[in-house]
Amino acid sequence: MNLRNEIELVTPALRRFAQALSSETEEVASGCGDDIVHEALLRALKFERPPRGLSVRLWLYSLICAIYRQESAESQAVANRIKLHRPHGLREANGGLWPEPLMAVTSALQKLDIETRECLLLVVLEGLTYNEVVDVLQIPMDVMLARLGRARAALSGQMKVASGPMMAHGQRQAPTAHLRLVK
Amino acid sequence: MSDVMHQASDADLHRYVDGESGHRERDAVRQWLAAHDEDAERVAAWRLQRQLLHARFDGVVRESLPAALSLRASSTTRFAISPQSPLTHPAAEPPLAVRCGSEQALGHSQVSAFVLGFCAALVLVCLLVFLHRG
């Protein structure tokens, strides 16, 4: 299978990942995630061969992470300006039509820092194995697990109210009480 | 790992939820969770997070690809780009285009068009010759 065929196969999942990763800016430009994917495909087609022995799929995920980090740093001023005008948080791109739990998970996702968010999404949404995530992000396994733990604890903490009785029951414990770094 | 788990670490629980555990480890974590409600609640919350994230974002996978992201959208085998986001592509930036696979650019469509044009010209010449003789 050539590079273009491999890219075509994985592009729909890349769009999902990029949109979830960049959901904080969805209301500004619904195509923001697609722009990131587009830039990743351009770079892949330009360089033609994945580095570090990565598969094309993992290479594209790593490109998206790199591009999003770069774009986030560059657009920080713009993002801050937007937040000033929306003190109650960002609306969804569809005008807030999502059911409450889905709004809550998106809102919680937006509050994660980039490192924990990309780690969570690669594992939970994209279904990458731990070893694949370690390869994509080029971080040690214990760091990856620590980020995953932080992300899950933060989401649990922020979604208690919105996620129904099961989560509400968990309010007895602090969200990070059981977290510890795995070495 | 023995079937009886003395202490399930956070890493054990994450591996269990994410399908990274082996058979024996999975069984041991199940037993642990059956006896430890707080960890069972955390694991249930993590599973709920997974369901909600998929419910929120899986629709994107089912959408047809935007033309700008489709490598086969254009018959000229060009990967055309239409910048839309003011955040990622400043308005002043011209539309990008990258040629991918220059060898493939001379594809069947170009060859067919060339042959067709040549045949049409041949027929036209024959027709003109025939008319002059007539």
Side-chain angles (χ1 to χ4, degrees):
Chain A
M1 185 181 290
N2 66 29
L3 176 63
R4 296 182 61 171
N5 289 340
E6 288 190 65
I7 289 176
E8 281 177 354
L9 279 178
V10 77
T11 300
L14 295 177
R15 290 186 69 222
R16 172 179 60 190
F17 177 59
Q19 289 203 10
L21 197 61
S22 63
S23 56
E24 66 196 0
T25 52
E26 263 189 329
E27 72 162 353
V28 180
S30 57
C32 182
D34 283 344
D35 285 343
I36 295 170
V37 175
H38 186 261
E39 179 63 24
L41 300 194
L42 278 181
R43 292 188 190 184
L45 290 166
K46 181 180 175 186
F47 293 110
E48 294 185 346
R49 187 174 300 173
R52 300 182 275 124
L54 286 177
S55 66
V56 170
R57 174 174 173 252
L58 297 187
W59 179 34
L60 288 165
Y61 278 121
S62 72
L63 285 172
I64 286 175
C65 290
I67 292 164
Y68 180 64
R69 288 180 187 206
Q70 185 184 344
E71 298 288 355
S72 296
E74 289 172 1
S75 64
Q76 192 58 50
V78 178
N80 287 340
R81 216 160 48 233
I82 294 159
K83 283 171 185 170
L84 281 178
H85 289 291
R86 295 201 179 278
H88 302 298
L90 301 175
R91 282 180 308 156
E92 286 292 333
N94 65 355
L97 297 178
W98 296 101
E100 184 56 40
L102 302 190
M103 292 284 285
V105 77
T106 312
S107 171
L109 199 60
Q110 292 165 0
K111 292 186 175 71
L112 299 179
D113 59 58
I114 293 177
E115 286 81 10
T116 53
R117 193 189 318 162
E118 64 190 11
C119 185
L120 178 82
L121 291 173
L122 286 172
V123 172
V124 174
L125 192 61
E126 299 306 315
L128 268 61
T129 66
Y130 287 2
N131 284 330
E132 287 175 332
V133 176
V134 162
D135 286 342
V136 168
L137 299 178
Q138 289 185 274
I139 53 175
M141 181 67 80
D142 58 347
V143 173
M144 193 281 290
L145 279 166
R147 289 182 185 177
L148 186 60
R150 279 205 306 274
R152 282 177 159 153
L155 249 63
S156 294
Q158 292 161 23
M159 293 174 59
K160 279 175 188 168
V161 177
S163 300
M166 181 178 66
M167 295 294 290
H169 188 51
Q171 285 178 347
R172 289 175 301 168
Q173 64 186 39
T176 56
H178 293 268
L179 285 175
R180 53 187 174 273
L181 279 175
V182 178
K183 299 198 173 178
Chain B
M1 181 179 293
S2 68
D3 287 349
V4 179
M5 185 170 277
H6 296 294
Q7 172 75 45
S9 68
D10 279 343
D12 292 328
L13 299 181
H14 286 299
R15 276 198 293 269
Y16 172 73
V17 168
D18 295 322
E20 296 266 336
S21 310
H23 285 295
R24 299 182 64 143
E25 187 182 358
R26 199 158 55 232
D27 290 342
V29 172
R30 277 200 193 107
Q31 290 180 26
W32 172 268
L33 294 177
H36 296 82
D37 289 345
E38 289 192 353
D39 279 344
E41 285 167 5
R42 293 169 64 212
V43 165
W46 298 346
R47 285 184 165 143
L48 180 65
Q49 290 169 13
R50 182 190 305 275
Q51 290 173 5
L52 291 174
L53 284 170
H54 278 285
R56 170 63 184 81
F57 293 107
D58 275 0
V60 179
V61 178
R62 293 187 289 272
E63 291 173 2
S64 55
L65 280 185
L69 295 181
S70 175
L71 299 187
R72 63 176 75 176
S74 169
S75 60
T76 59
T77 68
R78 275 178 176 270
F79 183 39
I81 293 150
S82 54
Q84 294 168 349
S85 166
L87 288 180
T88 55
H89 295 289
E93 188 176 336
L96 301 171
V98 65
R99 196 175 191 108
C100 41
S102 55
E103 291 82 6
Q104 295 173 9
L106 280 175
H108 293 300
S109 57
Q110 282 91 340
V111 173
S112 301
F114 178 77
V115 170
L116 199 64
F118 181 77
C119 290
L122 200 62
V123 168
L124 195 62
V125 168
C126 290
L127 192 64
L128 286 172
V129 169
F130 178 76
L131 287 175
H132 273 292
R133 284 185 179 175

